[in-house]
Amino acid sequence: MGSKQVFVPTIACVLLLFCFGCKCIASELQATQTATLKVDASSQLARKIPDTLFGMFFEEINHAGAGGIWAELVSNRGFEAGGLHTPSNIDPWSIIGDDSSIFVATDRTSCFSRNIIALRMEVLCDDCPASGVGIYNPGFWGMNIEDGKTYNLVMYVKSAEAAELTVSLASSDGLQNLASVTVPVAGTSNWTKVEQKLIAKGTNRTSRLQITSNKKGVVWFDQVSLMPSDTFKGHGFRTELISMLLDLKPRFLRFPGGCFVEGEWLRNAFRWRESIGPWEERPGHFGDVWHYWTDDGLGYYEFLQLSEDLGAAPIWVFNNGISHNDEVSTAAIAPFVKDVLDSLEFARGSANSTWGSVRAAMGHPEPFPVKYVAIGNEDCGKKYYLGNYLKFYNAIRESYPDIQMISNCDGSSKPLDHPADLYDFHVYTDSKTLFNMKGTFDKTSRTGPKAFVSEYAVWRTDAGRGSLLGSLAEAAFLTGLEKNSDIVHMASYAPLFVNDNDQTWNPDAIVFNSWQQYGTPSYWMQKFFRESSGAMIHPITISSSYSGSLAASAITWQDSGNNFLRVKIVNFGSDTVSLTISVSGLQASINALGSNATVLTSSNVKDENSFSNPTKVVPVTSQLHNAAEQMQVTLAAHSFSSFDLALAQSELVAEM
């Protein structure tokens, strides 16, 4: 994430407002435009789209990971977020009782050398309330506890004298008890790992975890974790959010950022070494770009595992010694280069290698197939970027010659002055500008590195929290990427997720809270392209005086042995369009029975989805009864339509 290339021209904003002002007049006149779309589906002019074209970019922003796809319910589980100096802030932990009954403070007595902060709780009352006094954690804006589900508790405790704790799941005010378990603590100077299962006997969307006692004495706590037992494949991910990702059929996963990788300062950049190994031993860090603490339970290993679970190629974005505010000189970059080589050995090395053995010990003896790395994020033009880049490039090429390396420098309009396999292209802009950028790569040189449009979105001026208008512009832009997929090999929307309680960046593809989620129109738009990767693209021509408001593409693709010709078309304008689709060159007849039309539109171009109306703007599919090589269809104003024409026999298109 960032602002490397941001196109926000004032003129475009004025034109867009003018367009909205004219909408009512156009509607009253019920204007209908005419257009013809010709598709040449012959094998001679077909071209295979790269298998990798459409994927995903995940950044730890908007609490996308911590409090998001990573299912850990406890926030600041190790009490490290307040820093190394004690006493420290334990937020969002708080006390149950008052200062006459309980005293809590952090100290440096943890049994974990990499995260030394622990919490000391002293119960002061001789005659404590029957319900006890103690501490509670509300998680990330409330824990979603559901009736009948099991939650796995792990925590480390010690007490010099025998004690008895009650661990409970309760409502935010503590009055509703959803689950409870008694935990005896032996009197010893050693830390003890406690593992318990709590089964909920009720549902509460804003619950909290409570640890209480009614016996005078001192107990220490560290690394208090609560995870639902039903995470995706048991790998710690929130199932319903991962299901939404699977529905997009991503071909790659770019991670973990973005600006999250860089940091405002290098001391706060993401460090892969500190995010691997047992979760209890990970120190966590403060992400100073997006301004929140992460315990790094979602670490380098988990991102690799998520890529595997999604069936997506991992793209590891690493820090190249540059943050937003400080840089490591090329003369001193060698330790950073070694660090990255070690990260690749962790992912790809044998189970007997130094770092591969660490991966194997974590439960994955087989290597992860990392074949793409991005050397930094949005760092082109910075003082030491080129020198540092070449150090990383040469070292990785020597050790891993098959890895494809991605430069931060844009090569779409002029050649790069350094070697690269791909180059990054980022664009965040208004809808009108992005719609008109559908031809961005038309004149790009076909020699040299390929383009990776790793961050694109309609943003700011007319984006809202994710509108139909924005999704139409994005869809048009993607049809241009399909057309130019001989040079554009990868593309991903950004950002992917936003927790409704932390709207640092809007819009996003998926909005969620502790128990709900929905896709914005930009999410649903991407579903139209999920079969494009690896498909065959065909030439099209549009004939119309209204063609400046239209964008289209045509592909043939397969599903379970069935072949389809898919024609996608965006109507960015405020008029309906009577469209004639004419297909030539097919080597099979069209079966109307298996053909469908899918349309994304709404009554207002600025419409958005929400928790109260999550399906206000979603695709609607119907059978295409008149499917034929020449057919008439109507395009609604401000709409994105896809026509899937079922082919009665296997297409003879090359490489299909």
Side-chain angles (χ1 to χ4, degrees), residues 353-482:
S353 64
T354 300
W355 287 104
S357 65
V358 178
R359 181 199 67 241
M362 294 180 69
H364 203 286
E366 294 302 315
F368 289 107
V370 175
K371 295 183 179 179
Y372 299 92
V373 296
I375 303 175
N377 173 73
E378 297 182 345
D379 292 326
C380 186
K382 294 181 180 178
K383 182 177 180 180
Y384 292 111
Y385 180 69
L386 181 57
N388 290 2
Y389 174 92
L390 291 172
K391 292 289 188 180
F392 285 103
Y393 180 93
N394 291 330
I396 294 170
R397 183 63 82 217
E398 180 179 351
S399 298
Y400 301 96
D402 63 316
I403 286 183
Q404 301 284 288
M405 281 173 275
I406 304 163
S407 168
N408 290 178
C409 299
D410 176 14
S412 63
S413 57
K414 63 179 182 180
L416 299 181
D417 61 356
H418 54 275
D421 299 294
L422 298 104
Y423 58 84
D424 256 336
F425 183 94
H426 295 181
V427 55
Y428 299 95
T429 186
D430 64 273
S431 60
K432 183 71 171 181
T433 302
L434 191 62
F435 178 86
N436 289 328
M437 287 180 68
K438 56 187 180 295
T440 295
F441 293 92
D442 288 355
K443 297 181 180 179
T444 296
S445 171
R446 266 44 193 173
T447 61
K450 306 301 182 183
F452 180 13
V453 184
S454 58
E455 299 181 30
Y456 73 86
V458 170
W459 187 46
R460 280 189 173 168
T461 55
D462 54 7
R465 290 203 62 196
S467 66
L468 171 64
L469 177 66
S471 71
L472 298 181
E474 291 156 0
F477 180 65
L478 294 192
T479 64
L481 300 190
E482 287 182 316

Side-chain angles (χ1 to χ4, degrees), residues 218-237:
V218 178
V219 182
W220 279 265
F221 300 95
D222 199 9
Q223 299 301 327
V224 182
S225 171
L226 185 72
M227 292 278 277
S229 62
D230 59 349
T231 61
F232 186 74
K233 292 189 174 183
H235 291 155
F237 300 104

Side-chain angles (χ1 to χ4, degrees), residues 29-85:
L29 296 175
Q30 295 183 330
T32 299
Q33 304 288 338
T34 60
T36 299
L37 173 63
K38 293 182 178 180
V39 180
D40 185 340
S42 64
S43 60
Q44 292 86 349
L45 296 180
R47 174 175 51 78
K48 188 175 186 293
I49 294 174
D51 292 332
T52 56
L53 185 57
F54 293 119
M56 290 176 177
F57 165 47
F58 180 93
E59 175 154 21
E60 180 60 273
I61 181 177
N62 304 324
H63 276 85
I69 65 167
W70 189 242
E72 174 62 65
L73 295 174
V74 178
S75 177
N76 189 17
R77 67 186 179 191
F79 309 101
E80 308 290 330
L84 294 176
H85 300 291

Side-chain angles (χ1 to χ4, degrees), residues 72 77-80 110-117 154-156 193-195 222-225 274-284 295-297 302:
E72 174 62 65
R77 67 186 179 191
F79 309 101
E80 308 290 330
S110 173
C111 57
F112 301 110
S113 60
R114 291 203 296 173
N115 44 11
I116 60 174
I117 304 300
V154 179
M155 65 179 182
Y156 290 78
K193 183 178 183 179
V194 173
E195 297 182 85
D222 199 9
Q223 299 301 327
V224 182
S225 171
E274 297 181 353
S275 76
I276 63 170
W279 61 266
E280 303 97 323
E281 299 177 11
R282 302 182 191 184
D295 60 31
D296 291 333
E302 286 74 22

